[in-house]
Amino acid sequence: MSNLVPVLIDAFSVGGLYALTALGIGLIFSVMRLANFAHAEFVTVPAYALFVLSAQPTVMAISAAVLVAVVLSLATERAAFRPLRGIDPATMLIASFTVSMFLQRLLVFAFDSRLKPVDPLAFLSGSVPLFGVSVNLLKLTTVITCLVLLVALTLFLKYTRFGLEMRAAAEDFTMSRLLGVRANRVIATAFVLSALLAAVVAVLFSAQTGFVQPRFGLQIVIIAFVATVIGGLGNLLGAAVGGFLVGVVATLLQTYLPPDLRPFREAFLFLIVIVVLLFRPQGLFPARGLKERI
Amino acid sequence: MTLEASAITVRFGGIRAVEDVSLRLHQGEIVGLIGPNGAGKTTLVNVLSGFQRPRAGRIALNGEDATRWPAHRFARNGVVRTFQAVRLYPGMTVAENVETALVGTGLGRAAARGQALEILNYLGLTGRAALPAKALSYGDERRVGIARALAMEPRFLLLDEPAAGLNIGEAEELDRTIARIRDDFSCGILVIEHNMALVMNLCERLHVLATGRTLAEGTPAEVMANPAFKDAYLGADA
């Protein structure tokens, strides 16, 4: 038991970040069927904001990172995705690649591609005792933050007006417009929420890794996409569960694989993913009516 | 107030779905739109609610040209329709389905919740409010579809086969509900219906389509006496 607690905290701190990232992707996908690869830069750019503002007080740096993420995401929606709305998902997917590449190159141009040190949550570097073992404070904070955000997002979707409109749009976009739901507002809400989640991931993940580079967000977004597919595209619960699942499995592999095989952890992870998709090609929680979009 | 279609023509490829049909719906009346399968009833309702642009002809709402309005503009101006397939949000509760329409009219969430329950109560669906829509029976599903339409404050309500799949008892109950809606909401109602007996009781006027054209129109008695109607719709010698 005593050595299980740190493993679990590890697993859920990794899985939580994947879950938040998968949710950020899933929110936009469910509303407008856009698989947004630029989500990687929604994570990377605020992480660079943390780097630029590393001399500033923590609260200020984090607020700025959140603001940067929201502005970037709204600007992307307005400039790149809104003109393409209603066009087939493949075109929008390519557009999101383009945005992603563009922002990545922009970061290389502005900051070069070397690692930049960041430590936005330096005050969480210690450990606390939990169930008789000492647990890393940052990881514990990560787990708690993820859980709090998941609950907050659930409450938002369930009990607020915007949340109701988002769920309606996710289930049947055409019908929702007919019922008076404003398409622009719902999509903007999805992008803002997605950016908020991305900013939180940027803060927590950069605090864990200690550096940022132009492909910083990509490494986590790739895995989160896998998590979204595992959970069932277009289903937010599925995205969250898929994220946790992939994180937990990755950590357990890291912990319990024989040391010689650990470098191939990802290979084992993706093997499991393939096996899951063989048996559940629609993911664990398939969304309804993915194709129907008239 | 009037919803008016003048000389509407719709073609799909070479097929004339609707050909030169004119129809007028006044506030406070119930008009039955009848005709065999493929007669163009749903296409005409699609035109009247902005789901289908006519090839020729004009739609006017209270005299204002609405021919090129998108569907949500019709809805916002009180021309509300239901669908044969109902199209509820399957993953949301019955109450939430209705609330979405209320929120769309600009209500806050709490107000929407209260009003949704009132509408559900009006249609005898109070006991269903917390159920997920996908758990509903066929008849209840259709009634929730009507509840959602009522939430949009219709001045004109276009019901596309609301009684399809209901048994006789349910269909008669639905007829009483439709009459009650007309009285309480004082809206004009256009009903697509197959069951002649139901239509005869419910509607002040009938409009009969056959292969895209107007075959007959008038009061139910007038239509029944119309030789062309007897010939085409009920079969010769009927």
Side-chain angles (χ1 to χ4, degrees), chain A residues 48 51 107-108 111-117 211-214:
Chain A
Y48 270 94
F51 163 69
L107 287 171
V108 174
F111 296 98
D112 74 53
S113 52
R114 279 170 297 180
L115 305 185
K116 308 288 175 197
F211 60 82
V212 54
Q213 37 90 9

Side-chain angles (χ1 to χ4, degrees), chain A residues 1 36 40 45 88 92 105 117 119 123 158 225-226 244 282 293:
Chain A
M1 179 65 199
N36 181 25
V45 174
D88 73 301
M92 290 206 293
R105 297 298 136 185
D119 196 4
F123 59 94
K158 187 110 185 90
F225 260 107
V226 173
F244 270 110
Q282 303 290 316
R293 191 75 202 283

Side-chain angles (χ1 to χ4, degrees), chain B residues 9-218:
Chain B
T9 295
V10 177
R11 291 202 182 96
F12 299 122
I15 297 169
R16 293 167 180 167
V18 171
E19 184 80 12
D20 194 29
V21 171
S22 298
L23 185 152
R24 192 180 288 179
L25 182 62
H26 299 284
Q27 214 172 358
E29 70 172 345
I30 302 179
V31 174
L33 182 59
I34 62 177
N37 286 330
K41 305 183 298 291
T42 295
T43 305
L44 187 59
V45 164
N46 285 347
V47 171
L48 281 167
S49 56
F51 279 77
Q52 171 72 52
R53 289 262 168 83
R55 165 78 66 96
R58 182 173 183 272
I59 302 294
L61 180 61
N62 305 324
E64 190 183 349
D65 187 353
T67 315
R68 306 194 70 78
W69 284 7
H72 58 265
R73 190 162 171 201
F74 274 91
R76 215 175 297 157
N77 283 279
V79 180
V80 178
R81 67 170 297 180
T82 64
F83 297 84
Q84 274 181 65
V86 192
R87 292 181 68 170
L88 298 180
Y89 301 117
M92 290 168 38
T93 67
V94 167
E96 285 171 343
N97 264 276
V98 180
E99 279 167 45
T100 304
L102 290 163
V103 159
T105 67
L107 283 187
R109 189 67 203 271
R113 171 141 292 233
Q115 205 163 323
L117 292 177
E118 272 178 40
I119 293 172
L120 290 173
N121 186 37
Y122 177 79
L123 290 170
L125 288 163
T126 308
R128 305 281 184 274
L131 286 183
K134 63 186 163 205
L136 291 178
S137 73
Y138 206 68
D140 283 345
E141 194 184 10
R142 286 178 178 271
R143 283 194 293 161
V144 174
I146 293 175
R148 193 167 65 173
L150 287 182
M152 302 180 71
E153 299 169 359
R155 285 183 288 164
F156 296 98
L157 191 56
L158 316 178
L159 303 174
D160 193 350
E161 299 206 22
L166 303 189
N167 65 37
I168 284 293
E170 289 172 325
E172 282 169 352
E173 171 69 40
L174 180 74
D175 258 21
R176 285 192 288 277
T177 304
I178 292 173
R180 200 154 54 97
I181 289 171
R182 185 263 308 272
D183 297 340
D184 294 344
F185 289 75
S186 63
C187 50
I189 301 180
L190 183 72
V191 194
I192 294 185
E193 181 52 73
H194 278 300
N195 186 325
M196 284 302 298
L198 289 179
V199 172
M200 307 293 292
N201 283 328
L202 181 65
C203 303
E204 284 95 41
R205 286 196 295 125
L206 296 182
H207 192 109
V208 188
L209 292 181
T211 59
R213 292 173 179 278
T214 299
L215 188 71
E217 53 185 318

Side-chain angles (χ1 to χ4, degrees), chain A residues 1-12 130-131 133 135 251-252 255-256:
Chain A
M1 179 65 199
S2 63
N3 53 9
L4 197 60
V5 172
V7 171
L8 282 180
I9 295 281
D10 257 7
F12 280 94
L130 187 74
F131 300 119
V133 289
V135 169
T251 311
L252 292 181
T255 313
Y256 294 113

